[in-house]
């Protein structure tokens, strides 16, 4: 049986599967009516939507030390410059060159407009209505950077202990964000939850069966309630919390730990897929294929493009350090 005595191996294992779920969320979908639409909604809103909260949870777990010190805080922020900030700027700059310059000739290249591309841009590959940088999925990194910078506030409220997750959950369910650009309710809730687990421990950590039963019951109730959004928000923390003990249990009994080797590829796929996925979908639609074929073909081809792009990037050390962010030595909890 493999040694999975800590959660570092579980986190490494989860990165690729969670990224694959994120790509599913962004595959364009045309209504096919009836049960197909209902199944798709359950798959995207009920299953794939686990990915982003889980990423925030993992990031909070990795960033928040058990005992806070300004020295450790400073060291972690320095590492995030390489692993988050530089890749964030680079991928959004690529998006600017690929989308705005060729297609939007009326774009006002003022300093304010150019900076907005990296924070809150009206131009998007996915035509998203929410606040996001031009490379839409990178809103997660934008929010994560702000969470990391503001993390001392989490320790300042340390006396609240058990109330911190409860307050975060209320903010998440009520969709209350901080009055600071780039801090969403989902970021606050799950980054904080990850930090709490790192500091206070995971409840029922040695009982994966109890978590599995809870997930099955939750998903059944979610279906029975007609994919109720409030219920979905309320139970998402339970599902995310379950990923650690279940992942640990899976790794101890299987060969799925091979996913752990593809963390860098997962990041490239995550950062790049919005640049290509709509164009791939348009090409398949132009051929006149059935909508279901277009959907799956777009998803599969996007992964192939991601693989090709990853192998191209990692051939050059300089390009790799900019776009992937020196992720060879991943952060471990301290």
């Amino acid at each position: 049986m493999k040694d999975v005595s800590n959660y570092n191996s579980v986190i490494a294992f989860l990165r690729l599967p969670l990224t694959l779920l994120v790509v599913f969320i962004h595959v364009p979908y045309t209504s096919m009516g009836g049960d197909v639409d209902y199944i798709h909604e359950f798959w995207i809103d009920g299953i794939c939507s686990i990915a982003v909260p889980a990423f925030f949870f993992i990031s909070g777990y990795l960033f928040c030390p058990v005992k806070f010190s300004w020295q450790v805080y400073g060291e972690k922020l320095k590492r995030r410059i390489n692993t988050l900030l530089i890749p964030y700027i680079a991928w959004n700059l690529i998006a600017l060159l690929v989308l705005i310059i060729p297609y939007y000739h009326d774009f006002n290249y003022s300093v304010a407009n150019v900076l907005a591309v990296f924070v809150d841009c009206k131009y998007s590959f996915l035509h998203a209505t929410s606040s996001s940088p031009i490379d839409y999925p990178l809103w997660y990194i934008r929010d994560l950077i702000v969470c990391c910078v503001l993390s001392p506030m989490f320790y300042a409220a340390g006396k609240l202990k058990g109330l911190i997750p409860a307050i975060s959950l209320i903010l998440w369910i009520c969709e209350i964000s901080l009055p600071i650009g780039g801090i969403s309710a989902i970021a606050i809730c799950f980054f904080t939850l990850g930090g709490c687990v790192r500091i206070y421990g995971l409840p029922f950590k040695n009982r994966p069966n109890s978590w599995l039963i809870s997930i099955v019951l939750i998903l059944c109730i979610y279906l029975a309630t007609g994919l109720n959004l409030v219920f979905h928000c309320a139970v998402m923390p339970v599902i995310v919390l379950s990923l650690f003990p279940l992942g640990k249990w899976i790794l101890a009994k299987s060969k799925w730990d091979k996913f752990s080797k593809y963390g860098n590829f997962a990041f490239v796929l995550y950062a790049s897929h919005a640049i290509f996925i709509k164009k791939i979908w348009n090409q398949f639609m132009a051929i006149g294929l059935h909508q279901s074929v277009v959907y799956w073909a777009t998803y599969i081809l996007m992964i192939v493009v991601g693989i090709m792009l990853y192998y191209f990037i990692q051939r050059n050390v300089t390009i790799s350090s900019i776009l992937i962010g020196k992720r060879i030595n991943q952060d471990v909890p301290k």
Side-chain angles (χ1 to χ4, degrees), residues 167-291:
I167 294 171
S168 300
L169 180 59
I170 292 171
L171 293 175
W172 156 245
I173 294 175
C174 299
E175 298 184 351
I176 299 174
S177 302
L178 291 181
I180 301 173
I183 289 291
S184 56
I186 189 174
I188 298 170
C189 177
F190 292 96
F191 185 88
T192 302
L193 189 61
C196 285
V197 168
R198 176 59 191 152
I199 295 171
Y200 304 117
L202 183 71
F204 311 113
K205 62 181 180 180
N206 295 320
R207 299 179 182 179
N209 290 337
S210 64
W211 287 108
L212 182 60
I213 293 171
S214 298
I215 291 176
V216 172
L217 290 175
I218 285 169
L219 292 178
C220 289
I221 296 172
Y222 183 53
L223 282 171
T225 58
L227 311 182
N228 183 273
L229 182 60
V230 174
F231 179 81
H232 170 269
C233 292
V235 301
M236 184 59 72
V238 177
I239 297 177
V240 170
L241 281 170
S242 71
L243 294 179
F244 269 28
L246 287 177
K248 192 173 180 178
W249 178 71
I250 291 171
L251 287 180
K253 296 179 177 295
S254 70
K255 298 180 180 180
W256 285 25
D257 58 328
K258 292 182 179 179
F259 279 139
S260 304
K261 303 176 182 178
Y262 303 114
N264 287 349
F265 162 66
F267 182 80
V268 171
L269 179 62
Y270 167 78
S272 66
H273 74 273
I275 299 175
F276 299 99
I277 202 162
K278 188 66 179 291
K279 297 180 182 296
I280 294 172
W281 183 83
N282 286 336
Q283 291 300 316
F284 280 125
M285 288 295 291
I287 297 175
L289 299 175
H290 189 272
Q291 294 173 5

